[in-house]
Amino acid sequence: MNKLINILIIVCISLFEGNAQCWKQLAGGSYFSAAIKVDGSLWSWGINLNGELGDGTNIGKLTPNQIGIDNNWRSISCGTAHNVAIKNDSTLWGWGHNLYGQLGNGANINLNIPTKIGIDDDWQTVAAGFYHTLALKTDGSLWSVGFNQYGQLGDGTTVHKNIAIQIGIGSVWKFIAVGAHHCFAIKSDGTLWAWGQNQYGQLGDGTNNPKLFPVQVGSDNDWKSIACGTQTVALKTNGSLWSWGQNQYGQLGDGTNVNKNIPTMISNESGWLAVDCGDTYTLALKIDGSLWAWGRNHYGTLGDGTNVNKSIPTQIGTDTDWKKLSTPITHSQLIKNDGTLWVTGLNDLGQLGDGTTVDKNILTQIGCWPTAVEQVTKINFKMNYHQRQLSFDNQSIYLLEAKLFDILGRQVQQFEIQRGISRSDIGIYAQGIYFVNVYKKGNIIKSEKIFID
């Protein structure tokens, strides 16, 4: 039988342009990305040398790839090449690079599938640094594990750990954040504490000396949230934005390239809602839903259509429906109110998830890939040569471009659409599951999972 006689396509309404509520949380490492959908399923893409994609292989993926079939993931954080995640039952899981014990399972061996860490089921928040992990329990206690050369574990030593240790004896912590080799935490009284590497003044304590245990930053008690790269950017409860640390590329947003070792207000504006830091750049959201960026832009990480650095907050586009953001080292990921996922920046290893290895300097949409457990239904494949359209299940889409990927996320064909796609265009491939992305003006408007028998 001709391998292309039957084409089976996932029926998933959320794949169409304008459909909402696909992605809900983002994270990213050096050259890979991860995300959780609203249905609780976990996805990853990019480099996979250390098993960081969690799919049981060490093969990279250029498009989102579901990790297992569980749909009870609550949150995830990515380090350089490791992941730590919490499920809905408050258990802690880890996978990927583990040379320094950063997964906290008592070993120093990489893991290429999500593996439960310990037996505790009271984890609230987890954050991954380059090679260490910081976590917060529901009782307000603070725990750390992994690489400790600069004192980033906060236990007063520089000895690496492969089982999580409690920092101090108090249960008064409510917010955590990690940079490359330093950490921050906010106490329930609103005070800010820092420890670890400090050569750029990123701890904000007025010095450039590392700290082996938490030290208070200033005396203010109105800190709300914080994010770290080589710089540190923080929000206060009044909506004001503050920064300190390295400023070589203007990542502090104060209009200079001068490092700061104490918190410095960025302009006199309030109204900031959320902030996240890449290695040398910053993204932030205002309460009106607008997106702002500053710092290094060599790879287009700011998404403003240029590769020019910015030293002050610069609005990106005019949209006011941005909801969440994530800034791995050199690429950016954002979610809009409608649940759509958008990316920009370095893409040499497929970390953007758009099926290519081409860098982007404008925000590009990533489709909502169907899950492994969604129902598969046979439909009619229809083509209209005169109207230049391809029909799936009687839903016509005017095409500019389409790409075909295999089950490992590797692009196997690209179509420059002038008249639609016929079966002869697709070619002959081995039996199995493939994915088709359909693009309009550079944005994915439909993603289809197909079976070629």
Side-chain angles (χ1 to χ4, degrees):
M1 181 182 292
N2 190 311
K3 293 181 179 180
L4 294 175
I5 288 179
N6 295 321
I7 297 182
L8 302 180
I9 300 181
I10 294 294
V11 175
C12 182
I13 293 176
S14 65
L15 297 181
F16 288 96
E17 182 177 19
N19 283 286
Q21 303 307 312
C22 181
W23 305 96
K24 75 172 183 179
Q25 198 224 331
L26 301 169
S30 292
Y31 301 101
F32 72 101
S33 301
I36 298 175
K37 284 188 176 182
V38 294
D39 65 2
S41 60
L42 183 61
W43 298 70
S44 62
W45 56 96
I47 197 173
N48 198 21
L49 292 179
N50 300 283
E52 50 264 67
L53 297 191
D55 66 346
T57 78
N58 291 83
I59 301 171
K61 308 293 187 296
L62 299 183
T63 58
N65 176 67
Q66 188 177 355
I67 301 174
I69 61 173
D70 290 349
N71 62 352
N72 59 347
W73 296 99
R74 189 175 83 203
S75 64
I76 184 171
S77 181
C78 307
T80 295
H82 77 287
N83 302 265
V84 280
I86 298 175
K87 286 191 173 183
N88 290 337
D89 61 3
S90 297
T91 55
L92 182 64
W93 298 69
W95 62 98
H97 189 266
N98 197 28
L99 178 62
Y100 302 103
Q102 59 264 45
L103 298 183
N105 66 337
N108 294 72
I109 300 172
N110 294 352
L111 301 172
N112 63 11
I113 59 171
T115 303
K116 188 176 179 181
I117 307 302
I119 60 174
D120 293 349
D121 59 359
D122 57 350
W123 297 101
Q124 177 177 310
T125 309
V126 66
F130 269 22
Y131 303 111
H132 72 289
T133 302
L134 183 67
L136 183 65
K137 285 193 172 185
T138 54
D139 65 0
S141 60
L142 193 60
W143 299 74
S144 62
V145 68
F147 190 67
N148 197 27
Q149 180 177 343
Y150 305 99
Q152 56 264 54
L153 298 190
D155 67 340
T157 78
T158 55
V159 179
H160 309 326
K161 306 291 190 301
N162 62 16
I163 296 179
I165 55 171
Q166 186 174 355
I167 301 176
I169 58 175
S171 297
V172 294
W173 305 96
K174 70 174 184 179
F175 186 92
I176 58 174
V178 296
H181 303 298
H182 67 293
C183 298
F184 283 91
I186 299 174
K187 286 188 176 181
S188 54
D189 63 4
T191 56
L192 180 62
W193 298 72
W195 60 99
Q197 193 176 42
N198 195 27
Q199 80 272 34
Y200 304 116
Q202 59 262 50
L203 298 187
D205 68 337
T207 79
N208 290 70
N209 301 320
K211 302 295 184 293
L212 302 185
F213 52 84
V215 296
Q216 187 172 352
V217 179
S219 59
D220 292 349
N221 62 356
D222 58 349
W223 297 101
K224 178 183 178 182
S225 64
I226 195 164
C228 319
T230 54
Q231 76 281 25
T232 303
V233 185
L235 282 170
K236 286 195 172 184
T237 54
N238 65 0
S240 60
L241 193 61
W242 299 69
S243 64
W244 58 96
Q246 190 189 41
N247 199 23
Q248 181 180 355
Y249 302 99
Q251 60 262 45
L252 297 188
D254 66 348
T256 77
N257 294 89
V258 179
N259 297 349
K260 307 288 191 302
N261 61 16
I262 60 172
T264 303
M265 183 185 286
I266 301 176
S267 79
N268 294 320
E269 287 186 287
S270 60
W272 297 96
L273 177 65
V275 65
D276 203 10
C277 297
D279 189 37
T280 51
Y281 71 102
T282 306
L283 297 186
L285 302 180
K286 285 190 175 181
I287 58 175
D288 65 1
S290 59
L291 173 63
W292 299 73
W294 58 97
R296 192 180 187 191
N297 197 24
H298 179 68
Y299 301 106
T301 46
L302 303 188
D304 68 337
T306 78
N307 291 68
V308 179
N309 299 342
K310 305 291 186 297
S311 63
I312 60 173
T314 302
Q315 186 171 358
I316 307 303
T318 58
D319 292 349
T320 56
D321 57 348
W322 298 104
K323 183 178 181 180
K324 292 186 178 181
L325 47 79
S326 171
T327 55
I329 292 181
T330 50
H331 68 288
S332 303
Q333 309 168 113
L334 299 101
I335 296 176
K336 285 190 171 184
N337 290 332
D338 65 1
T340 55
L341 172 60
W342 300 76
V343 297
T344 187
L346 184 67
N347 195 30
D348 57 336
L349 295 168
Q351 54 266 50
L352 295 187
D354 69 339
T356 78
T357 54
V358 179
D359 299 346
K360 305 292 186 298
N361 63 13
I362 59 171
L363 289 161
T364 303
Q365 187 179 350
I366 303 301
C368 184
W369 291 80
T371 66
V373 296
E374 288 175 317
Q375 183 180 1
V376 178
T377 304
K378 184 185 293 186
I379 66 171
N380 294 323
F381 185 102
K382 299 181 179 179
M383 229 290 300
N384 187 317
Y385 289 89
H386 300 292
Q387 296 182 12
R388 299 182 182 177
Q389 63 182 248
L390 173 69
S391 296
F392 289 102
D393 201 19
N394 300 319
Q395 296 291 327
S396 296
I397 301 175
Y398 289 83
L399 303 177
L400 296 178
E401 183 181 44
K403 297 177 184 178
L404 182 70
F405 304 91
D406 65 17
I407 190 62
L408 298 178
R410 298 173 299 196
Q411 182 178 323
V412 295
Q413 194 164 350
Q414 178 172 337
F415 312 96
E416 297 295 337
I417 306 302
Q418 299 297 326
R419 54 168 179 74
I421 302 174
S422 70
R423 294 190 176 190
S424 61
D425 289 326
I426 295 178
I428 302 297
Y429 296 100
Q431 179 179 356
I433 295 174
Y434 293 80
F435 298 90
V436 176
N437 273 3
V438 178
Y439 300 82
K440 181 178 182 180
K441 296 182 179 179
N443 295 325
I444 296 176
I445 61 172
K446 190 175 179 70
S447 297
E448 293 292 358
K449 184 176 183 178
I450 68 174
F451 180 74
I452 300 178
D453 70 5

